[in-house]
Amino acid sequence: MDLYEHQARELFEEHGIVVPRAEVTDSPRQAREIARRLGGRVVVKAQVRTGGRGKAGGVGLAADPAAAELTARRILGMDIKGHTVGTVMLAQPVDIEEEFYVSYVLDRAAGCFLAIASAEGGMDIEEVAATRPEAVARVPVDPAEGVTSATAARIAEAAGLPPQTVDVLVRLWEVLVREDALLVEVNPLARTRDGRITALDGKVTLDDNATFRQARWGTGHSTHHDPLEAAAAAKGIDYVKLDGEVGIIGNGAGLVMSTLDVVAGCGARPANFLDIGGGASAQVMADGLSVVLSDPSVKSVLVNVFGGITACDAVADGIVRALDTVRLTKPLVVRLDGNNAARGRAVLDAYAHPLVEQATTMDGAAERAARLATTP
């Protein structure tokens, strides 16, 4: 379950992380009053469960309460990647000296959490990760050990973050553990001109299996304005539509995110995020592939699976099942590794579909899928 930004910042504040003062509304007239209470000059931010709001025009700086009302009126009702803006958050602006990126994400394939951090946060973090991956540190975190001050210092040093961020890294880990989160992200984490470390934006994804412990957020079920996201949600699949041409399917959020990065590094754009989960059945694999193949913007599909609880032969069975019901007109690149990988590869070899090919490494699979999607 993805939280809205204002809910994520509420969690941050509860755990002692500094955030700017802010209020939420669905009324342009109320936005004027909120801006007045916050001092006049405010940042108006669309509240939607997707990224890319700034580039889509969903974030605006208002110089005074009247401008805040006009900005809120413009943003409310906008469509951002299939999500209609129903509320806006107005926040006090801060004087930024530096922007950083920090996150923790569950890596099911590796059986641990992954700390991802960079000294170059902000709107262009995806470009930084694609063009200069060395600028983004990825540090495995043992769930049993967690993030101590020593671990946080190691993460900060690896990413080139200032020492003041160590305390925030420890507190973000507390958010992840105590709130049953699969992902906690701050972009940007800013150092202000007066030296404070402040979370200016936040993304938190809670584990749906822990909904009974997180009842204050409701069920998290919301209307999906993108038909593919709605179709995936109806099948219980974690799917997010993106603006690209390579369909991505993997098992585990960390593996899927890494696959997105590798595909981008090969010169192509991911068309979606789709996590079939750590214990996915053949039916889940078939359902996920059906959703991805339904996207007309997809030019090739990459299935990247590391077999653990999910055995690779079950994944291969799911692919075959899907292709028996869905006509494949786009090339499909499959990389299977781990539990029963040899059996899974044998299943696909026996099926011998002309548009299905296999790769032995993630880099090789991503490079092939990117080439197939971008070659006329």
Side-chain angles (χ1 to χ4, degrees):
M1 176 173 63
D2 291 333
L3 299 186
Y4 290 106
E5 178 195 2
H6 67 90
Q7 295 171 326
R9 71 180 300 283
E10 182 180 330
L11 286 180
F12 294 165
E13 193 168 25
E14 289 175 6
H15 288 271
I17 298 169
V18 177
V19 295
R21 284 182 58 202
E23 295 184 40
V24 179
T25 183
D26 59 1
S27 164
R29 183 172 296 180
Q30 270 193 337
R32 178 191 287 256
E33 297 305 315
I34 291 172
R36 185 175 289 115
R37 286 197 294 271
L38 295 178
R41 186 167 174 263
V42 293
V43 180
V44 185
K45 308 176 77 174
Q47 296 299 284
V48 288
R49 292 185 172 107
T50 187
R53 295 172 301 168
K55 293 181 179 180
V59 178
L61 180 63
D64 53 49
E69 178 177 350
L70 291 174
T71 304
R73 193 177 302 278
R74 175 182 63 80
I75 293 176
L76 287 167
M78 282 182 63
D79 181 278
I80 299 178
K81 295 184 179 179
H83 297 259
T84 301
V85 180
T87 58
V88 293
M89 185 180 77
L90 290 85
Q92 286 183 324
V94 299
D95 292 326
I96 300 172
E97 185 172 276
E98 289 184 278
E99 292 185 340
F100 316 116
Y101 173 92
V102 296
S103 70
Y104 295 113
V105 63
L106 175 63
D107 187 342
R108 287 191 178 96
C112 68
F113 282 89
L114 193 64
I116 304 175
S118 176
E120 302 182 35
M123 288 176 58
D124 296 322
I125 184 62
E126 291 86 359
E127 183 177 345
V128 171
T131 59
R132 291 187 299 106
E134 70 279 1
V136 181
R138 293 172 171 83
V139 181
V141 176
D142 183 346
E145 178 183 345
V147 176
T148 63
S149 295
T151 305
R154 190 167 70 250
I155 295 169
E157 182 179 3
L161 305 180
Q164 300 99 304
T165 61
V166 169
D167 181 64
V168 174
L169 288 168
V170 172
R171 293 177 185 274
L172 280 176
W173 179 257
E174 292 176 358
V175 172
L176 182 118
V177 173
R178 295 181 184 177
E179 306 299 336
D180 298 305
L182 301 176
L183 168 70
V184 175
E185 176 185 84
V186 181
N187 185 36
L189 178 68
R191 178 162 60 185
T192 62
R193 296 196 187 282
D194 59 5
R196 292 186 304 164
I197 301 297
T198 305
L200 299 188
D201 198 349
K203 181 177 180 181
V204 174
T205 300
L206 304 182
D207 187 346
D208 288 336
N209 295 312
T211 300
F212 69 97
R213 284 199 297 262
Q214 304 296 336
R216 62 169 164 162
W217 305 118
T219 63
H221 297 154
S222 59
T223 301
H224 293 269
H225 298 280
D226 184 279
L228 291 175
E229 290 188 352
K235 297 176 183 291
I237 296 173
D238 292 327
Y239 172 92
V240 179
K241 179 77 173 71
L242 302 174
D243 299 324
E245 58 279 336
V246 179
I248 306 291
I249 300 175
N251 62 323
L255 180 62
V256 178
M257 291 181 69
S258 297
T259 306
L260 265 63
D261 286 343
V262 175
V263 167
C266 293
R269 298 176 304 161
N272 64 271
F273 173 104
L274 197 156
D275 175 13
I276 61 172
S281 64
Q283 184 60 52
V284 171
M285 182 67 238
D287 289 342
L289 189 56
S290 297
V291 170
V292 172
L293 291 172
S294 299
D295 184 352
S297 66
V298 167
K299 306 302 180 187
S300 71
V301 180
L302 170 56
V303 175
N304 185 21
V305 169
F306 186 87
I309 299 174
T310 304
C312 290
D313 54 343
V315 171
D317 287 338
I319 294 172
V320 170
R321 183 183 302 180
L323 298 183
D324 282 340
T325 58
V326 178
R327 182 168 175 265
L328 184 62
T329 58
K330 303 158 186 177
L332 175 65
V333 181
V334 182
R335 178 256 183 169
L336 301 176
D337 197 5
N339 185 17
N340 287 351
R343 291 184 190 176
R345 297 185 195 116
V347 168
L348 294 179
D349 285 339
Y351 190 66
H353 194 290
L355 289 178
V356 177
E357 56 184 270
Q358 300 190 60
T360 57
T361 66
M362 181 168 72
D363 288 346
E367 183 178 357
R368 181 58 179 160
R371 185 181 301 116
L372 289 168
T374 56
T375 301

